[in-house]
């Protein structure tokens, strides 16, 4: 399945073990751990019943950028409402991930157990998703939340006809390079004379929603750089 689970700053080794078990339950194997606050994989293994092999090969990286650079769609799990970002149910994420699978990898990003995703991390995500829990107890345990998404991804992957082939989608890394090229051009042209605020993010948002192919993103980058090199 073309889905990667990304866990930011996990603190509890039992959670990692339970996540590994949930992934094995529903056939997922691609995951990345960003800046872990625990490396107690021995404790995690005691919870990862019949799923210990997943704890032998997690991709441990330092930053969210590293974890999602090769992904075409990045979804952050947060109940916050953020301008310009869709807020999807888990089943909607799974359905769209299945549709996007021929074009590229989807990352589902989980924040740390205490405070979730930071503002900067939410900005890095293309869309957001939340599990509709009750108001008196809105937060879920990290492994419980991961299990819900694992189930939905599996259910969508095994239902219905396979989607029609799509062009290979632009990766998050390519979209970030496009954003940087646009930012440089706008600064050189005087459009960004002061603090950036939301200008670049708002201008790039329609391009992210358009699901650019890798070829289209590279063409945008080349065009922006070419225009930026023209003499004033």
């Amino acid at each position: 399945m073309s889905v990667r689970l990304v866990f930011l700053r996990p603190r509890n080794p039992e959670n990692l073990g339970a996540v590994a078990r949930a992934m094995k339950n529903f056939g997922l194997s691609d995951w990345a751990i960003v800046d872990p606050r625990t490396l107690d994989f021995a404790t995690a293994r005691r919870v990862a019943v019949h799923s210990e092999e997943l704890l032998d090969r997690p991709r441990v990286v330092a930053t969210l950028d590293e974890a999602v650079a090769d992904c075409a769609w990045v979804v952050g799990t947060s109940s916050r409402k953020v301008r310009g970002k869709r807020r999807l149910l888990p089943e909607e994420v799974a359905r769209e991930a299945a549709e996007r699978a021929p074009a590229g990898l989807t990352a589902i990003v989980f924040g740390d157990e205490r405070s979730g995703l930071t503002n900067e991390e939410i900005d890095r995500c293309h869309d957001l998703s939340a599990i509709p829990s009750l108001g008196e107890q809105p937060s879920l345990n990290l492994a419980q939340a991961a299990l819900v998404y694992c189930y939905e991804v599996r259910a969508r992957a095994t239902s219905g006809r396979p989607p029609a082939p799509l062009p290979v989608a632009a990766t998050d890394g390519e979209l970030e390079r496009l954003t940087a090229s646009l930012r440089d051009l706008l600064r050189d042209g005087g459009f960004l004379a002061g603090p950036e605020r939301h200008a670049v993010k708002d201008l790039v948002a329609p391009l992210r929603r358009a699901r650019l192919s890798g070829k289209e993103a590279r063409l945008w980058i080349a065009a922006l750089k070419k225009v930026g090199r023209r003499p004033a």
Side-chain angles (χ1 to χ4, degrees), residues 29-59:
S29 60
D30 189 348
W31 63 326
I33 301 173
V34 179
D35 188 19
R37 303 304 164 87
T38 178
L39 293 174
D40 184 5
F41 287 101
T43 298
R45 290 175 72 87
R46 292 200 291 269
V47 184
V49 180
H50 303 308
S51 311
E52 295 87 351
E53 73 275 11
L54 289 177
L55 293 167
D56 294 333
R57 58 172 189 269
R59 191 150 69 101

Side-chain angles (χ1 to χ4, degrees), residues 180-193 224-225 227-230 232:
S181 297
L182 177 61
R183 181 180 292 110
D184 290 343
L185 179 64
L186 294 177
R187 285 202 184 282
D188 292 344
F191 182 83
L192 294 178
L224 291 169
K225 289 184 175 180
V227 172
R229 286 196 294 267
R230 293 181 62 186

Side-chain angles (χ1 to χ4, degrees), residues 124-166:
R124 284 289 287 107
C125 295
H126 306 157
D127 290 300
L128 300 176
S129 176
I131 299 169
S133 53
L134 295 179
E136 55 263 32
Q137 175 55 299
S139 63
L140 278 77
N141 168 270
L142 177 62
Q144 293 173 330
L147 184 143
V148 171
Y149 285 92
C150 288
Y151 165 77
E152 292 292 352
V153 167
R154 177 67 178 178
R156 302 301 167 182
T158 56
S159 65
R161 293 179 298 177
L166 296 173

